[in-house]
């Protein structure tokens, strides 16, 4: 079953003007973003370094939109609490970023935050088997993590379709709903493919922030598609 609602759009501030992050966040809020996607990289788990909890805390004043925090750091466990305190709403982690994924997700939930699991292109779907009861979001990477502006890896569409089925079965058996988010190389064309495959939330950096603030509303709208028509 494909979600008939418009997908949530989560602009990745990795593609924003880092010298003006507060203003950029206000601009995407006004432009109709649903979540703010924040990519946290440590130069070790992925080959790039971005921002940490102090910056996220200072950005918290610029919007009431949920902060969708994607942690690409290892080991991840010692930093979870700091991101929760900084104002994250969803905290998503890669199975490879710590020794005990179930414990990491429990820690996020115990801090009253939404817990997400992130699957890299080479990470198998069965990583979600034993944790589906404690996740609020499954994030499928359609690029290898570390950089914005990469090409969408279309082999991941089958993974999105399979996870859509798993989530629908889970919900039909009485399980809580789980967001299916896709991250990497999303533009007006690939967003449609991801939605057709069953995604209900889309991360986009380059496609949202290109052209500057005057273009953000149009850029965001172009990613939504007419999801009700897709199968
Ligand atoms: C990659 C990040 C993505 C990235 C997406 O590691 O997780 O969120 O910023 O950027 P685009 O939309 O430019 O592919
Ligand atoms: Zn991301």
């Amino acid at each position: 079953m494909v979600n008939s609602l418009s997908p949530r759009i989560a602009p990745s501030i990795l593609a924003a003007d880092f010298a003006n992050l507060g203003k950029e966040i206000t601009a995407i809020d006004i432009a109709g973003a649903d979540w703010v996607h924040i990519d946290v990289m440590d130069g070790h788990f992925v080959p790039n370094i971005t921002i940490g909890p102090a910056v996220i805390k200072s950005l918290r004043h610029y919007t009431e939109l949920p902060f969708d925090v994607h942690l690409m750091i290892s080991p991840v466990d010692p930093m979870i609490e700091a991101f929760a305190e900084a104002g994250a709403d969803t905290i998503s982690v890669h199975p490879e970023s710590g020794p005990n994924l179930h414990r990491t997700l429990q820690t996020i939930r115990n801090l009253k935050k939404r817990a997400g699991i992130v699957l890299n292109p080479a990470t198998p779907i069965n990583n979600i088997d034993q944790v589906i009861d404690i996740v609020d979001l499954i994030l499928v990477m359609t690029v290898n993590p570390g950089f914005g502006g990469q090409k969408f890896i279309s082999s991941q569409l089958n993974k999105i379709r399979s996870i859509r089925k798993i989530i629908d079965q889970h919900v039909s058996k009485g399980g809580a709903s789980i967001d299916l988010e896709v991250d990497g190389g999303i533009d007006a064309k690939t967003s449609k493919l991801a939605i057709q495959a069953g995604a209900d939330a889309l991360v986009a950096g380059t496609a949202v922030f290109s052209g500057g603030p005057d273009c953000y509303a149009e850029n965001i709208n172009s990613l939504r598609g007419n999801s009700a028509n897709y199968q």
Side-chain angles (χ1 to χ4, degrees):
M1 183 181 72
V2 171
N3 193 332
S4 62
L5 298 172
S6 179
R8 263 72 51 86
I9 304 297
S12 162
I13 61 167
L14 188 60
D17 175 1
F18 266 40
N20 286 296
L21 278 181
K23 281 186 192 158
E24 290 278 62
I25 284 181
T26 303
I28 54 166
D29 185 339
I30 292 168
D34 298 287
W35 301 340
V36 179
H37 186 81
I38 303 178
D39 289 305
V40 178
M41 306 181 183
D42 66 356
H44 160 75
F45 185 70
V46 289
N48 195 4
I49 299 177
T50 56
I51 59 172
V55 174
I56 293 176
K57 190 175 179 188
S58 66
L59 293 175
R60 201 50 286 187
H61 309 295
Y62 287 85
T63 183
E64 290 183 4
L65 290 178
F67 277 3
D68 176 36
V69 176
H70 175 189
L71 296 183
M72 289 159 273
I73 59 175
S74 175
V76 70
D77 294 311
M79 295 305 298
I80 298 284
E81 196 171 346
F83 285 100
E85 282 174 4
D89 295 282
T90 301
I91 299 177
S92 297
V93 298
H94 290 250
E96 301 88 350
S97 65
N100 294 294
L101 175 65
H102 192 280
R103 174 178 290 148
T104 306
L105 296 167
Q106 278 181 321
T107 302
I108 297 168
R109 282 276 189 94
N110 288 341
L111 290 162
K112 308 284 182 241
K113 303 297 179 183
R114 282 161 34 92
I117 176 174
V118 193
L119 302 180
N120 277 340
T123 304
I125 296 172
N126 64 11
N127 277 273
I128 65 180
D129 287 354
Q130 304 301 320
V131 295
I132 192 157
D133 287 326
I134 56 167
V135 295
D136 302 285
L137 178 143
I138 298 171
L139 174 54
V140 175
M141 294 303 300
T142 40
V143 297
N144 285 294
F147 302 97
Q150 301 182 82
K151 192 173 179 298
F152 184 86
I153 301 174
S154 41
S155 62
Q156 299 306 297
L157 289 166
N158 275 338
K159 184 189 273 179
I160 298 166
R161 278 184 210 105
S162 301
I163 297 175
R164 175 80 267 154
K165 282 187 197 139
I166 292 169
I167 291 174
D168 289 346
Q169 277 167 12
H170 172 76
V171 170
S172 73
K173 286 184 200 153
S177 73
I178 297 171
D179 296 318
L180 177 49
E181 186 175 38
V182 174
D183 184 3
I186 293 290
D187 58 23
K189 197 172 160 198
T190 56
S191 66
K192 290 185 176 60
L193 301 174
I195 295 164
Q196 280 174 340
D200 51 28
L202 302 174
V203 176
T206 309
V208 168
F209 286 96
S210 66
D214 290 346
C215 300
Y216 295 169
E218 196 182 327
N219 291 347
I220 288 172
N221 282 335
S222 74
L223 300 176
R224 293 196 190 277
N226 295 309
S227 55
N229 301 329
Y230 299 143
Q231 280 305 324

